[in-house]
Amino acid sequence: MYKVDLPVDESALRAVERRRAAEAERKSRIFNTRTRVIGVDLRALEKQQEDKRERLEMEKQRDMAHDLLRLSLDEMAMQQNKDEEELRRELAQDMVQFRAIHQRAEDSRDADINYDRQSAPNASISVSDSALGPASMQVFLGEGINENEKKRAQMEMNERNLRAQKEEREKQEREQKNRELLTGRELVEKDLRAVQLNALEEECKRSARIALSHYNQTQAEKRMEREQQERLRREGEELAELRYMVTSDLLTERPEAAKRKTESSVEGPRVLTDRWKGMTPQQIGDIHRTREEQCLEKERLKEMERQRDVAWDYHLTEQARQQEREEKRDKELQRERRTQLDKYNQQLAREQQAHQHYLDKQLYTNRPTVRYFTQFSTSSR
């Protein structure tokens, strides 16, 4: 049989390579310590995306604003160029009109050189050309051909230009008169409006002055009334003070004045030496009786204080004894609890030792080697 070199199936190789690349990418993603341990800060990423969107939006708005500003500047520049061209065209037209009116060629000093002589343009030569020499030639070859037609056409053109200029000047004068008339009407209307406003202002000022005068008159009347009331009140107070001084205890010297002042004093009972006439027997007896009552009350309070101290001392003694009994009972309970806890700890220690002995001697007899740990985390599956 013949040996035939068949083409290798590239699809299978590409599929294997694709699976290997996917497996490598999966391993790099799964075994990445930062992604596995720390993780991805989604909030920070979303914040960055939001900031980026805001920045792009601000840049877009700024570009739009710059475009609008550029368009407005271009329009302003185009309008300015248009105005300059219009002004330049008007200046050129005015220059042409000025030259056509005030700088005509036939009005110049050398007009007789370019045209026929102004003194005798149609004068004929009486001497024949054969009798004249070269220096006496009046008409040369090529000159004077259709000169009259040219003059007539130029005069007609000048007349048309002058007529057009006259019409344009009349039109401008009419427009100027119309503008002046409109300006005069506007000025008259403004003057009338100003007169009306001045009249209204004067009327408002007059009303304000009348209202102010009425207000000032009212205030003056109120002030006079207040002054009269204040004067009447001051006179009444002075009369009341004079009546009080005439009928007061200082001038009448009544004996009840000292007693009344002593009883109604805010600072407490005190002796007024300038009005006091001495104590009565009833007041002296009241003082002795009050002193005896105070002595008895003081003795009674002392006895009550002594009895309260004795009862309090007895209560403190009983409370101290009860506290000592409670402390003894707590110490006994703590001693018993400590004994039980020691026994329970010893039992737990023995059980733990037995369990550790079981783990070391019976359960964990073969220790794992390094090869046992290296078999993990070798694939993403």
Side-chain angles (χ1 to χ4, degrees):
M1 297 299 294
Y2 295 100
K3 185 177 180 182
V4 181
D5 295 334
L6 297 176
V8 182
D9 190 3
E10 297 291 339
S11 61
L13 295 177
R14 286 197 296 270
V16 172
E17 291 296 333
R18 187 168 58 254
R19 286 196 295 271
R20 286 179 180 175
E23 182 67 19
E25 193 273 333
R26 182 180 172 84
K27 284 184 180 181
S28 63
R29 187 176 68 254
I30 293 176
F31 297 114
N32 189 1
T33 306
R34 180 178 181 83
T35 306
R36 187 178 68 255
V37 179
I38 302 176
V40 180
D41 193 357
L42 295 178
R43 187 176 299 175
L45 294 178
E46 292 176 357
K47 184 66 169 59
Q48 292 177 2
Q49 293 178 0
E50 186 67 23
D51 295 341
K52 186 176 180 181
R53 284 195 295 269
E54 292 180 358
R55 186 173 65 256
L56 293 177
E57 185 66 23
M58 291 176 62
E59 291 178 356
K60 183 178 179 180
Q61 294 180 1
R62 185 172 62 250
D63 294 339
M64 292 176 63
H66 289 170
D67 293 338
L68 293 176
L69 180 61
R70 193 180 302 109
L71 291 175
S72 63
L73 292 177
D74 293 341
E75 291 178 357
M76 292 174 61
M78 292 175 63
Q79 185 65 29
Q80 186 175 3
N81 293 331
K82 186 177 179 181
D83 296 339
E84 291 178 357
E85 291 292 337
E86 186 69 21
L87 181 61
R88 193 179 296 109
R89 187 179 62 80
E90 291 178 358
L91 291 176
Q93 187 176 1
D94 294 341
M95 183 64 70
V96 171
Q97 292 179 359
F98 178 80
R99 288 175 179 175
I101 296 172
H102 301 286
Q103 294 181 356
R104 296 185 302 173
E106 56 269 19
D107 296 337
S108 61
R109 295 180 180 179
D110 54 353
D112 56 346
I113 298 176
N114 296 325
Y115 300 96
D116 290 339
R117 293 186 178 181
Q118 299 176 0
S119 60
N122 296 323
S124 61
I125 301 175
S126 59
V127 184
S128 61
D129 295 338
S130 60
L132 297 176
S136 301
M137 295 181 67
Q138 300 295 323
V139 179
F140 297 93
L141 182 64
E143 291 184 356
I145 300 175
N146 299 326
E147 185 68 23
N148 295 326
E149 287 78 1
K150 290 181 180 179
K151 286 183 178 181
R152 189 178 302 108
Q154 188 173 6
M155 290 175 66
E156 292 177 356
M157 184 178 66
N158 291 333
E159 289 178 359
R160 286 196 299 271
N161 292 333
L162 290 174
R163 193 179 301 110
Q165 293 174 3
K166 183 178 180 181
E167 292 176 356
E168 183 69 22
R169 184 166 59 252
E170 291 177 354
K171 181 179 179 181
Q172 291 180 358
E173 290 177 356
R174 287 195 301 270
E175 291 178 354
Q176 182 67 24
K177 289 181 180 180
N178 292 330
R179 284 197 297 271
E180 291 178 355
L181 182 60
L182 293 176
T183 304
R185 289 181 180 178
E186 292 179 356
L187 292 175
V188 171
E189 291 178 357
K190 289 182 180 180
D191 293 338
L192 293 176
R193 184 63 179 172
V195 171
Q196 293 177 359
L197 292 176
N198 290 329
L200 291 175
E201 186 177 1
E202 291 295 333
E203 183 67 22
C204 292
K205 288 182 179 180
R206 188 174 62 81
S207 301
R209 286 195 297 270
I210 293 172
L212 182 61
S213 62
H214 290 169
Y215 176 76
N216 293 331
Q217 185 177 0
T218 305
Q219 293 294 325
E221 292 176 357
K222 291 181 179 180
R223 184 176 60 186
M224 292 176 63
E225 185 177 357
R226 285 198 302 270
E227 291 178 354
Q228 184 177 3
Q229 292 178 359
E230 181 68 20
R231 181 172 56 79
L232 293 176
R233 184 185 61 79
R234 188 167 55 253
E235 291 178 356
E237 290 179 355
E238 291 177 355
L239 291 175
E241 184 179 1
L242 181 60
R243 188 182 300 108
Y244 175 76
M245 291 299 296
V246 171
T247 60
S248 64
D249 298 336
L250 179 62
L251 298 179
T252 56
E253 295 183 356
R254 292 184 302 169
E256 293 83 2
K259 181 178 180 181
R260 187 175 67 250
K261 289 294 182 180
T262 303
E263 292 177 354
S264 63
S265 179
V266 179
E267 299 177 356
R270 58 191 182 92
V271 177
L272 302 177
T273 56
D274 57 342
R275 303 178 188 179
W276 190 54
K277 305 300 181 179
M279 295 176 62
T280 61
Q282 183 179 359
Q283 292 177 350
I284 295 172
D286 292 339
I287 290 174
H288 288 294
R289 186 168 55 257
T290 303
R291 185 173 58 184
E292 292 177 357
E293 290 176 357
Q294 290 177 355
C295 291
L296 294 175
E297 182 66 21
K298 186 175 182 181
E299 292 293 334
R300 187 178 63 81
L301 292 175
K302 284 183 179 180
E303 182 64 24
M304 290 175 63
E305 183 70 23
R306 186 181 62 79
Q307 293 178 2
R308 187 169 56 251
D309 292 340
V310 171
W312 183 250
D313 293 338
Y314 177 77
H315 176 69
L316 291 177
T317 304
E318 290 296 329
Q319 189 175 5
R321 291 175 182 176
Q322 182 68 21
Q323 187 174 1
E324 288 179 359
R325 287 195 295 268
E326 293 292 335
E327 289 178 357
K328 288 180 181 180
R329 190 179 300 108
D330 292 340
K331 287 180 181 179
E332 291 294 334
L333 291 175
Q334 289 178 4
R335 189 181 301 108
E336 293 177 359
R337 194 180 297 111
R338 192 180 300 109
T339 303
Q340 293 177 1
L341 183 61
D342 293 340
K343 290 179 181 181
Y344 181 70
N345 290 334
Q346 290 175 3
Q347 182 181 356
L348 290 178
R350 287 193 297 270
E351 291 177 357
Q352 185 177 7
Q353 290 177 1
H355 183 67
Q356 188 67 31
H357 184 269
Y358 169 74
L359 293 176
D360 295 339
K361 301 299 182 181
Q362 297 180 11
L363 185 60
Y364 301 140
T365 56
N366 53 347
R367 298 290 181 180
T369 61
V370 178
R371 183 180 179 184
Y372 172 77
F373 293 102
T374 56
Q375 65 181 345
F376 300 103
S377 299
T378 59
S379 177
S380 62
R381 301 295 177 181

